[in-house]
Amino acid sequence: MKFSAAIALAALNGAAAFVAPKGPVASTQLAMSDYRTSVRDDIGVGSGGSPLYKTGGTARDLAEIWDNSSPVIVQGGSLRTWSFANPAIESVQVLLKTEGRPLDADVELWQGPDNTPHKMRVYVEDGALRTFNAVIGTPRGPNTVAIRNIGQLEFPLDAVVRPDRDDGLAAGIASVATRSETIQGGALRTYPFNPTVDSVAIILKTDGRPLNARIELLQGPNNNKQVVELYTEDGLDRPFFAIVETPGSGNVVRVVNTAPVEFPLYASVDAYRVGGGGDWADDGLMIGRAF
């Protein structure tokens, strides 16, 4: 009996000797190439969801920027310019608001005589409820940012234009808008958000080709609360960063590539700041409630 058990044990050990050793497991994950830009060295899109939306982190407060800056009043029909001669300034923050009146302005980047590599047309229905917040690239200075208030004299606006630091607004936007998708020329994408999202981070860029796009904030059918018509000479060298405030419910961000089919763009749109839903009650009921 003991002899039979010894033979069986030897047979098992011999079989184990012929088992192939486990080799290293090959990963099939595809790595997305990162575009190196002058605004931020590593945008890092496509690496996951929004950390603010999932974990309730804190984003850079826009109110803090307004409190620490000295806004310049741009009267209706007038023009103001901000010049940056230091070539080390590779991006600037552009913030616009009003006292509750509509905001209608042209924003341009001048680099040399008769050279406008970046320009925007900005419209906001309520410049106090939804301020305009963007970061534009200013590589290879000197550069000048020009803001023209194309509204009437009764519609002044406040403007803040200042350099963007390495840990500034663009870095905060890029750390949140981490999912990217391609929008072909002539196509559009819509991004709906629930009422708990207070603001949305947007990044638009290309592979080096010109960027022509329109960004719209809709609240209800065909109800534009904010519209930005954007042109950039080089969407890789000067990608567009923006924060769109989305108070209330039914907010949808629509991005339209207005360029021909030969000029695709890469869009990253995600929640930037998530709050408690404003005046929404816990049950989400608004109709018939006394305020």
Side-chain angles (χ1 to χ4, degrees), residues 76-124:
S78 62
L79 171 69
R80 292 291 183 272
T81 59
W82 290 259
S83 297
F84 302 93
N86 188 354
I89 300 176
E90 297 185 340
S91 59
V92 296
Q93 303 172 0
V94 178
L95 289 79
L96 305 176
K97 72 174 183 178
T98 67
E99 295 180 351
R101 304 183 183 187
L103 188 154
D104 200 356
D106 281 335
V107 181
E108 295 182 350
L109 174 67
W110 299 342
Q111 189 178 46
D114 298 329
N115 182 24
T116 308
H118 187 117
K119 56 184 176 181
M120 295 179 288
R121 171 73 180 270
V122 181
Y123 166 78
V124 183

Side-chain angles (χ1 to χ4, degrees), residues 4 8 25 56 63 78 81 93 99 120 124 133 141 146 156 168 184 203 216-217 234 248 251 271-272 276 280-281:
S4 300
V25 179
S78 62
T81 59
Q93 303 172 0
E99 295 180 351
M120 295 179 288
V124 183
N133 317 281
Q184 301 292 342
I203 301 176
E216 301 175 356
L217 174 63
D234 187 337
N251 290 288
Y272 183 75
W280 284 77

Side-chain angles (χ1 to χ4, degrees), residues 36-39 90 137-140 206 208 232 234-239:
R36 303 292 176 175
T37 68
S38 60
V39 176
E90 297 185 340
T138 57
R140 298 176 299 278
T206 67
T232 301
D234 187 337
L236 176 62
D237 200 21
R238 296 181 177 87

Side-chain angles (χ1 to χ4, degrees), residues 105-274:
D106 281 335
V107 181
E108 295 182 350
L109 174 67
W110 299 342
Q111 189 178 46
D114 298 329
N115 182 24
T116 308
H118 187 117
K119 56 184 176 181
M120 295 179 288
R121 171 73 180 270
V122 181
Y123 166 78
V124 183
E125 182 185 67
D126 187 337
L129 186 61
R130 300 175 184 88
T131 61
F132 174 75
N133 317 281
V135 178
I136 60 178
T138 57
R140 298 176 299 278
N143 294 274
T144 297
V145 175
I147 298 178
R148 183 184 300 275
N149 187 348
I150 58 178
Q152 300 298 322
L153 183 63
E154 297 82 7
F155 301 96
L157 62 86
D158 295 335
V160 169
V161 180
R162 69 175 196 174
D164 187 55
R165 303 184 302 272
D166 293 337
D167 59 344
L169 204 58
I173 296 172
S175 66
V176 172
T178 54
R179 293 177 294 184
S180 177
E181 64 175 323
T182 303
I183 302 178
Q184 301 292 342
L188 63 88
R189 293 290 185 274
T190 57
Y191 306 86
F193 293 92
N194 60 46
T196 61
V197 177
D198 294 334
S199 58
V200 175
I202 300 175
I203 301 176
L204 299 182
K205 64 180 182 179
T206 67
D207 57 357
R209 308 180 195 191
L211 171 63
N212 287 273
R214 185 172 69 252
I215 303 172
E216 301 175 356
L217 174 63
L218 305 175
Q219 197 173 36
N222 297 324
N223 186 12
N224 288 326
K225 298 297 183 181
Q226 182 170 338
V227 180
V228 178
E229 296 180 355
L230 171 68
Y231 165 76
T232 301
E233 183 181 63
D234 187 337
L236 176 62
D237 200 21
R238 296 181 177 87
F240 177 70
F241 297 79
I243 297 175
V244 176
E245 295 180 308
T246 57
S249 62
N251 290 288
V252 176
V253 174
R254 179 165 62 186
V255 180
V256 184
N257 187 347
T258 57
V261 69
E262 296 85 4
F263 300 91
L265 64 85
Y266 307 101
S268 300
V269 181
D270 215 329
Y272 183 75
R273 178 176 292 278
V274 178

Side-chain angles (χ1 to χ4, degrees), residues 47-64:
S47 59
S50 168
L52 292 180
Y53 191 82
K54 292 184 177 180
T55 61
T58 57
R60 182 170 296 275
D61 192 3
L62 296 174
E64 180 183 353

